[in-house]
Amino acid sequence: MTFALTMALALLLDWLFGWPGWLYARIGHPVTWIGRVITQLETRLNRSDASRSHRIMVGAVAGLFVVAMCAVAGLLLQAVLPDGFLGAVLGALLAWPLLAARSLHDHVADVQQPLAAGNVERARNAVSMIVGRDPAQLDEAGIARSAIESLAENTSDGVVAPLFWGVLFGLPGIAAYKAVNTLDSMIGYRNDKYEAYGKPAALFDDLVNWIPARLTGLVLVLVSPDRHQAWQVMRRDAGLHRSPNAGWPEAAMAAGLNCRLSGPRTYGDRLEQHPWVNDGAPDPDAATIASALVMLKRCLAVVAGLLVVLAILD
């Protein structure tokens, strides 16, 4: 039996239950476990007085250690699973917390609902939980753009990419991917503290997301109202994004929703100029976020269907 059935069941568990608060209170979450290891290594190894080349080297070694640790843990767990359907179910229980479809939906819905009710301040607080930019600088259109951009990017990073590597390699694949993604989210920043130490993590994250980001874009094109237009915009604008990968799902979703995304943004006291994705389209609003959540559900349905087909074909 392939790993596709395991991943399909894991996606179902994630969508039905997310990661329950009572379970988080009791045992935490695998990402927080990985995060503790990353923090401990960074505290010891990322010395500000070291040369840039040294910091890059130790960052690479630390990153490889974290990824190898997670891959080996996945391999050992997979080795003791029984064959057949029972093994797929048990594997799904282990892979379940490494997906984030339900969490992604709920966090974006938490932005959409107060924005639709006219409570801009509450919407700002909700969007600050999922993006790094300064929420105080965001108007209603900026809040909506931020939520939709996060939804598009994390549909790839939090759902399609872990499933992709899980289908290929099972528990070691999805666990190693989650380690890479967590490393990038914690140390893959272009600032004085992390530019050198986190550079290997950022590059590796770009590498492992290359195929999944483009697959996500294709699925979002497929579930768009005007597939031809979405395809054209994705091909034209994906390369405008500052990320080599995030532009694909973001451009596809922008076209599917008939809105513009990206553009200038503020991080702290720094204004960064970025080109518009799907320039010429109107700004998004709360209703657009609601439509984006519908696109997410359709995307997940397509992905789940593909996983079932792969499992049947085995």
Side-chain angles (χ1 to χ4, degrees):
M1 183 173 293
T2 67
F3 301 127
L5 178 59
T6 297
M7 294 303 131
L9 293 171
L11 180 60
L12 178 63
L13 286 170
D14 174 55
W15 183 252
L16 290 176
F17 304 111
W19 191 244
W22 65 265
L23 191 56
Y24 182 84
R26 286 174 178 266
I27 65 171
H29 189 276
V31 170
T32 64
W33 307 341
I34 297 169
R36 290 193 194 103
V37 177
I38 295 170
T39 299
Q40 290 294 323
L41 290 171
E42 191 273 331
T43 301
R44 288 167 170 76
L45 299 176
N46 188 20
R47 299 193 345 257
S48 60
D49 60 341
S51 67
R52 184 173 185 274
S53 59
H54 176 82
R55 294 170 77 181
I56 291 174
M57 181 188 69
V58 296
V61 171
L64 287 172
F65 172 79
V66 174
V67 174
M69 177 190 71
C70 293
V72 169
L75 188 63
L76 292 174
L77 289 169
Q78 188 163 280
V80 300
L81 293 178
D83 294 331
F85 183 72
L86 178 59
V89 172
L90 294 175
L93 286 170
L94 294 169
W96 162 30
L98 303 178
L99 298 172
R102 187 72 200 196
S103 173
L104 175 60
H105 174 278
D106 291 350
H107 275 92
V108 175
D110 286 344
V111 179
Q112 190 274 333
Q113 291 164 4
L115 192 64
N119 191 333
V120 176
E121 192 57 37
R122 186 177 166 196
R124 283 197 185 104
N125 290 335
V127 85
S128 71
M129 304 296 292
I130 57 175
V131 299
R133 70 200 69 167
D134 183 4
Q137 304 293 328
L138 297 176
D139 57 10
E140 292 188 37
I143 293 169
R145 278 197 301 273
S146 299
I148 294 168
E149 288 163 11
S150 180
L151 182 67
E153 183 173 355
N154 286 292
T155 298
S156 177
D157 291 0
V159 184
V160 175
L163 288 173
F164 175 82
W165 292 107
V167 168
L168 288 181
F169 301 111
L171 292 179
I174 192 172
Y177 172 79
K178 206 63 183 180
V180 173
N181 192 242
T182 306
L183 280 159
D184 181 64
S185 67
M186 291 183 66
I187 64 174
Y189 295 104
R190 296 177 183 176
N191 56 28
D192 291 340
K193 185 175 183 180
Y194 293 123
E195 191 279 329
Y197 181 80
K199 189 177 184 65
L203 291 174
F204 198 24
D205 186 74
D206 287 343
L207 177 65
V208 298
N209 280 299
W210 198 92
I211 294 175
R214 286 150 181 80
L215 289 176
T216 306
L218 288 174
V219 175
L220 289 171
V221 166
L222 184 64
V223 301
S224 295
D226 187 337
R227 297 188 185 105
H228 177 74
Q229 174 69 7
W231 170 252
Q232 294 298 324
V233 171
M234 184 178 72
R235 290 184 61 199
R236 184 193 71 204
D237 289 356
L240 298 177
H241 201 280
R242 60 201 177 281
S243 163
N245 296 319
W248 293 86
E250 189 172 306
M253 185 164 278
L257 298 170
N258 188 34
C259 70
R260 65 176 184 172
L261 298 175
S262 196
R265 60 196 61 209
T266 301
Y267 295 94
D269 58 356
R270 186 178 77 256
L271 176 65
E272 294 187 4
Q273 296 290 343
H274 297 286
W276 292 103
V277 171
N278 199 27
D279 193 13
D283 283 320
D285 56 16
T288 317
I289 303 177
S291 297
L293 290 170
V294 172
M295 282 189 72
L296 170 66
K297 293 174 184 176
R298 290 174 178 169
C299 177
L300 294 176
V302 171
V303 170
L306 290 173
L307 291 173
V308 171
V309 168
L310 288 174
I312 292 173
L313 292 177
D314 175 44

